[in-house]
Amino acid sequence: MQEFLTFNVLGINAAGILCKIDSFENWIKEKSPAVFSIQETKVQSLGQIQSLTTDKYQLYEQIRSTNPGLGGGLCIGVNKDLPSTLIRGGGDEVE
């Protein structure tokens, strides 16, 4: 009999994550997803999405090269217990 692994994958459209970092922290603590994605992060530079909970995750971020902070942006967090690899391709139009 084959055994299957199950885990949670959560996603949110934040429309700007930095002003909601406390809610994000609570959301991650409550749900304990294996993988999460945040669309529309609207951060201006990489590494701004930090909290105590994100230490448990490998974060992969993409920000817009033109007008960062005004829109767009993506962050994917993968629990460090899971192997993951960043495969990057494209630019602002494929964030």
Side-chain angles (χ1 to χ4, degrees):
M1 184 170 161
Q2 190 173 13
E3 188 175 323
F4 293 97
L5 175 68
T6 59
F7 57 89
N8 292 332
V9 177
L10 301 174
I12 188 170
N13 185 318
I17 190 63
L18 296 181
C19 63
K20 301 171 182 125
I21 202 73
D22 290 337
S23 294
F24 167 73
E25 176 85 11
N26 291 332
W27 181 66
I28 294 297
K29 281 182 183 177
E30 179 185 325
K31 302 296 183 183
S32 297
V35 178
F36 65 82
S37 70
I38 308 169
Q39 295 79 237
E40 296 290 330
T41 59
K42 297 185 181 182
V43 296
Q44 295 184 11
S45 60
L46 299 176
Q48 289 186 288
I49 302 170
Q50 296 294 322
S51 70
L52 295 173
T53 305
T54 58
D55 289 344
K56 298 177 185 177
Y57 294 88
Q58 174 64 50
L59 298 183
Y60 299 102
E61 297 178 74
Q62 177 70 34
I63 60 171
R64 289 198 175 160
S65 58
T66 56
N67 298 318
L70 295 179
L74 176 66
C75 178
I76 296 173
V78 181
N79 187 296
K80 289 183 177 176
D81 291 337
L82 298 173
S84 64
T85 301
L86 174 64
I87 300 174
R88 188 177 301 272
D92 287 355
E93 68 278 355
V94 291
E95 68 184 46

